[in-house]
Amino acid sequence: MSAPGTFTVVGIGPGDPELITLKAARLIGTADVVAYHAGVRKQSHARRIAAGLIPAGAIEEELRYPVTTGTTDHPGGYVGALADFYEACAVRLAVHLDAGRDVVLLAEGDPLFYGSSMYLHDRFNDLYDTAVVPGVPSFAAATAAVSAPLVRQTDVLTVLPGTLPEPELARRLADTDGAIVMKLGRRFPAVRRALAAAGRLDGSWYVERASQPEERWLPVADVDPESVPYFSLIVVPGDSAPRADTGRLRASAESSARAELSEVPEPSDGPGTAPDRRAELLVIGLGPGPDGWLTPEASAALAEVEHVVGYAPYVARVPQRAGLQRHASGNTVEVDRARFALDLARAGERVAVVSGGDAGVFGMAAAVFEAVEDDQRAGRAAVPVRVLPGVSAVQAVAARAGAPIGADFAVVSLSDRLKPWEVVERRLRAIAEADLVLAVYNPASRSRTTQVARLREVLLDHRKPETVVVVGRDVGRAEESLSVTTLAELDPDRIDMKCLLIVGASSTRVTSAGQVWTPRYVR
């Protein structure tokens, strides 16, 4: 019995036969079997590209899709129809492999870049000797067509399918330097709107049939949506990304001091008054997560600002729109983030610093005022700060549980990043002795794994084991969970950074329906 044949997926580039690599050409020219996909009622583009390389004696296997973008009566829908198709293709090609024939599967562009060939490779990878030969991807040919540098130096490149929801596409376009948008076709109008909302429409290029004789490219703004074929994409060069000039902002801040921008602006005289562009920084609480928990005041303010600054997951929650620039950063640079926002505001920009929950509860508001104080010591122009409240995490968890903070309560963060653990423990003892309901933020993290256990020990010195404890995780999000336990049964190993704890007072109780509440009275 002969040894099984090899299965090789060969990238043949975007369309120009001269962009096929030497290795791909060699493997195609010596293949026993050449396979290629074809669209419904269409000739195979892959075969057309490699036609001059296929040996006269090779067996050809055309793998024709049963459906592409149309409807199907398959009981499993589009996904089910394609899964059955790939399985049938695998059966056909396995016959050749088992007979000892080497099979080459042609793949347009690069095989592993949105390529259909990967589904057959997945099926054969553990059964036969397999390999993948890379090819020139379509976006490389498209970028070459417009002769626009896609990314430079430390620019970030993002590849996006145009099938993403429009708001998500706009957000991601605003958050990157260079971008490629694939899968256009009927999605082109939505993609164009997303580019406009992200402020990336100007400077973006539409390219169709890159490297092929029918190649066409023009500014996205000039494209007729009715003319967009499947073989098209959009190139968004990194040079087109709006960038904040921090040096210019710092210089502007210094000159602003001399211009007495520190004066608090007078209220508007009413309708028709020109907008006041003097410096002001907004600090906005976005709430715990759901759009319905964002206040109308916060929503209206976010619709007016030109810059949003904050921790990346919070910035991502702000809808992208035309004219909005986003400045996301990590989780431990709060004061640096605040200083950057103050510089923007001092230069006359409309700026909002965003924070999850309420910005004043372990959020960005305090960091902003810390940066303001530093500015005052350095003699820089003061920037008025306006804090807009949001629904806090403790409010959200308490509401889900019932009314556990209906009486006097205290709030403590277990993080010891900004204060010694000895201070945290001293405050926990004072709260326990005062018999206050306790809300606990930041209970644990990957680097802080012992604090919840110690919290439990400290509280049990003053509270009964049956003291009620509410554990809320990701409240307001799809992964939300809420449980009610006792201090004695609280499992520290099940608590992480996504949790907020509410430890009841001696008077806190649980209803027959499982809801937690604390009476307003003390007897």
PDB file of all heavy atoms in Angstrom, residues 282 284 294-303 386-390:
ATOM      1  N   LEU A 282     -14.416  68.217  31.641  1.00  0.00           N
ATOM      2  CA  LEU A 282     -15.516  67.429  32.184  1.00  0.00           C
ATOM      3  C   LEU A 282     -14.987  66.075  32.643  1.00  0.00           C
ATOM      4  O   LEU A 282     -14.150  65.470  31.974  1.00  0.00           O
ATOM      5  CB  LEU A 282     -16.595  67.208  31.121  1.00  0.00           C
ATOM      6  CG  LEU A 282     -17.255  68.444  30.526  1.00  0.00           C
ATOM      7  CD1 LEU A 282     -18.279  68.021  29.477  1.00  0.00           C
ATOM      8  CD2 LEU A 282     -17.910  69.268  31.612  1.00  0.00           C
ATOM      9  N   ILE A 284     -16.660  62.491  33.603  1.00  0.00           N
ATOM     10  CA  ILE A 284     -17.980  61.889  33.419  1.00  0.00           C
ATOM     11  C   ILE A 284     -17.998  60.439  33.870  1.00  0.00           C
ATOM     12  O   ILE A 284     -17.165  59.636  33.447  1.00  0.00           O
ATOM     13  CB  ILE A 284     -18.403  61.971  31.938  1.00  0.00           C
ATOM     14  CG1 ILE A 284     -18.462  63.441  31.489  1.00  0.00           C
ATOM     15  CG2 ILE A 284     -19.744  61.298  31.709  1.00  0.00           C
ATOM     16  CD1 ILE A 284     -18.790  63.618  30.017  1.00  0.00           C
ATOM     17  N   LEU A 294     -26.529  55.103  31.623  1.00  0.00           N
ATOM     18  CA  LEU A 294     -25.827  56.351  31.366  1.00  0.00           C
ATOM     19  C   LEU A 294     -26.825  57.488  31.509  1.00  0.00           C
ATOM     20  O   LEU A 294     -27.887  57.467  30.894  1.00  0.00           O
ATOM     21  CB  LEU A 294     -25.245  56.338  29.955  1.00  0.00           C
ATOM     22  CG  LEU A 294     -24.477  57.585  29.502  1.00  0.00           C
ATOM     23  CD1 LEU A 294     -23.182  57.712  30.284  1.00  0.00           C
ATOM     24  CD2 LEU A 294     -24.183  57.526  28.001  1.00  0.00           C
ATOM     25  N   THR A 295     -26.500  58.485  32.310  1.00  0.00           N
ATOM     26  CA  THR A 295     -27.464  59.552  32.561  1.00  0.00           C
ATOM     27  C   THR A 295     -27.642  60.420  31.316  1.00  0.00           C
ATOM     28  O   THR A 295     -26.711  60.559  30.499  1.00  0.00           O
ATOM     29  CB  THR A 295     -27.007  60.454  33.723  1.00  0.00           C
ATOM     30  OG1 THR A 295     -25.847  61.200  33.312  1.00  0.00           O
ATOM     31  CG2 THR A 295     -26.675  59.632  34.959  1.00  0.00           C
ATOM     32  N   PRO A 296     -28.816  61.034  31.146  1.00  0.00           N
ATOM     33  CA  PRO A 296     -29.020  61.954  30.016  1.00  0.00           C
ATOM     34  C   PRO A 296     -28.015  63.101  30.017  1.00  0.00           C
ATOM     35  O   PRO A 296     -27.564  63.530  28.958  1.00  0.00           O
ATOM     36  CB  PRO A 296     -30.456  62.442  30.222  1.00  0.00           C
ATOM     37  CG  PRO A 296     -31.128  61.341  30.978  1.00  0.00           C
ATOM     38  CD  PRO A 296     -30.067  60.797  31.900  1.00  0.00           C
ATOM     39  N   GLU A 297     -27.657  63.592  31.204  1.00  0.00           N
ATOM     40  CA  GLU A 297     -26.675  64.675  31.287  1.00  0.00           C
ATOM     41  C   GLU A 297     -25.332  64.231  30.718  1.00  0.00           C
ATOM     42  O   GLU A 297     -24.702  64.942  29.930  1.00  0.00           O
ATOM     43  CB  GLU A 297     -26.499  65.113  32.740  1.00  0.00           C
ATOM     44  CG  GLU A 297     -25.480  66.233  32.915  1.00  0.00           C
ATOM     45  CD  GLU A 297     -25.168  66.526  34.370  1.00  0.00           C
ATOM     46  OE1 GLU A 297     -25.103  65.578  35.171  1.00  0.00           O
ATOM     47  OE2 GLU A 297     -24.980  67.714  34.703  1.00  0.00           O
ATOM     48  N   ALA A 298     -24.895  63.024  31.104  1.00  0.00           N
ATOM     49  CA  ALA A 298     -23.626  62.513  30.618  1.00  0.00           C
ATOM     50  C   ALA A 298     -23.679  62.276  29.111  1.00  0.00           C
ATOM     51  O   ALA A 298     -22.743  62.601  28.378  1.00  0.00           O
ATOM     52  CB  ALA A 298     -23.261  61.227  31.343  1.00  0.00           C
ATOM     53  N   SER A 299     -24.777  61.720  28.650  1.00  0.00           N
ATOM     54  CA  SER A 299     -24.929  61.445  27.218  1.00  0.00           C
ATOM     55  C   SER A 299     -24.870  62.732  26.405  1.00  0.00           C
ATOM     56  O   SER A 299     -24.213  62.795  25.356  1.00  0.00           O
ATOM     57  CB  SER A 299     -26.247  60.707  26.972  1.00  0.00           C
ATOM     58  OG  SER A 299     -26.407  60.400  25.609  1.00  0.00           O
ATOM     59  N   ALA A 300     -25.542  63.767  26.875  1.00  0.00           N
ATOM     60  CA  ALA A 300     -25.545  65.044  26.169  1.00  0.00           C
ATOM     61  C   ALA A 300     -24.147  65.655  26.143  1.00  0.00           C
ATOM     62  O   ALA A 300     -23.717  66.211  25.123  1.00  0.00           O
ATOM     63  CB  ALA A 300     -26.529  66.005  26.825  1.00  0.00           C
ATOM     64  N   ALA A 301     -23.424  65.542  27.248  1.00  0.00           N
ATOM     65  CA  ALA A 301     -22.074  66.096  27.298  1.00  0.00           C
ATOM     66  C   ALA A 301     -21.139  65.364  26.351  1.00  0.00           C
ATOM     67  O   ALA A 301     -20.327  65.976  25.647  1.00  0.00           O
ATOM     68  CB  ALA A 301     -21.536  66.025  28.727  1.00  0.00           C
ATOM     69  N   LEU A 302     -21.248  64.034  26.295  1.00  0.00           N
ATOM     70  CA  LEU A 302     -20.388  63.251  25.414  1.00  0.00           C
ATOM     71  C   LEU A 302     -20.660  63.550  23.942  1.00  0.00           C
ATOM     72  O   LEU A 302     -19.791  63.384  23.096  1.00  0.00           O
ATOM     73  CB  LEU A 302     -20.568  61.756  25.685  1.00  0.00           C
ATOM     74  CG  LEU A 302     -20.030  61.256  27.026  1.00  0.00           C
ATOM     75  CD1 LEU A 302     -20.465  59.821  27.271  1.00  0.00           C
ATOM     76  CD2 LEU A 302     -18.503  61.366  27.063  1.00  0.00           C
ATOM     77  N   ALA A 303     -21.869  63.990  23.656  1.00  0.00           N
ATOM     78  CA  ALA A 303     -22.223  64.329  22.273  1.00  0.00           C
ATOM     79  C   ALA A 303     -21.615  65.660  21.833  1.00  0.00           C
ATOM     80  O   ALA A 303     -21.613  65.976  20.642  1.00  0.00           O
ATOM     81  CB  ALA A 303     -23.742  64.381  22.115  1.00  0.00           C
ATOM     82  N   ARG A 386     -15.528  70.164  35.914  1.00  0.00           N
ATOM     83  CA  ARG A 386     -16.933  69.892  36.222  1.00  0.00           C
ATOM     84  C   ARG A 386     -17.133  68.379  36.204  1.00  0.00           C
ATOM     85  O   ARG A 386     -16.854  67.713  35.215  1.00  0.00           O
ATOM     86  CB  ARG A 386     -17.842  70.583  35.219  1.00  0.00           C
ATOM     87  CG  ARG A 386     -19.327  70.430  35.506  1.00  0.00           C
ATOM     88  CD  ARG A 386     -20.122  71.579  34.875  1.00  0.00           C
ATOM     89  NE  ARG A 386     -19.883  71.718  33.458  1.00  0.00           N
ATOM     90  CZ  ARG A 386     -20.709  71.238  32.506  1.00  0.00           C
ATOM     91  NH1 ARG A 386     -21.813  70.570  32.854  1.00  0.00           N
ATOM     92  NH2 ARG A 386     -20.448  71.424  31.234  1.00  0.00           N
ATOM     93  N   VAL A 387     -17.607  67.842  37.324  1.00  0.00           N
ATOM     94  CA  VAL A 387     -17.800  66.398  37.459  1.00  0.00           C
ATOM     95  C   VAL A 387     -19.277  66.074  37.267  1.00  0.00           C
ATOM     96  O   VAL A 387     -20.144  66.636  37.940  1.00  0.00           O
ATOM     97  CB  VAL A 387     -17.323  65.900  38.846  1.00  0.00           C
ATOM     98  CG1 VAL A 387     -17.522  64.394  38.958  1.00  0.00           C
ATOM     99  CG2 VAL A 387     -15.859  66.266  39.070  1.00  0.00           C
ATOM    100  N   LEU A 388     -19.557  65.159  36.344  1.00  0.00           N
ATOM    101  CA  LEU A 388     -20.934  64.722  36.076  1.00  0.00           C
ATOM    102  C   LEU A 388     -21.132  63.341  36.699  1.00  0.00           C
ATOM    103  O   LEU A 388     -20.380  62.423  36.393  1.00  0.00           O
ATOM    104  CB  LEU A 388     -21.204  64.656  34.572  1.00  0.00           C
ATOM    105  CG  LEU A 388     -21.579  65.967  33.866  1.00  0.00           C
ATOM    106  CD1 LEU A 388     -20.540  67.039  34.087  1.00  0.00           C
ATOM    107  CD2 LEU A 388     -21.780  65.715  32.377  1.00  0.00           C
ATOM    108  N   PRO A 389     -22.112  63.192  37.572  1.00  0.00           N
ATOM    109  CA  PRO A 389     -22.260  61.935  38.301  1.00  0.00           C
ATOM    110  C   PRO A 389     -22.743  60.796  37.419  1.00  0.00           C
ATOM    111  O   PRO A 389     -23.364  61.008  36.365  1.00  0.00           O
ATOM    112  CB  PRO A 389     -23.305  62.261  39.370  1.00  0.00           C
ATOM    113  CG  PRO A 389     -24.115  63.359  38.759  1.00  0.00           C
ATOM    114  CD  PRO A 389     -23.141  64.173  37.954  1.00  0.00           C
ATOM    115  N   GLY A 390     -22.449  59.584  37.862  1.00  0.00           N
ATOM    116  CA  GLY A 390     -22.924  58.381  37.183  1.00  0.00           C
ATOM    117  C   GLY A 390     -23.437  57.384  38.196  1.00  0.00           C
ATOM    118  O   GLY A 390     -23.204  57.528  39.407  1.00  0.00           O
TER     119      GLY A 390
END
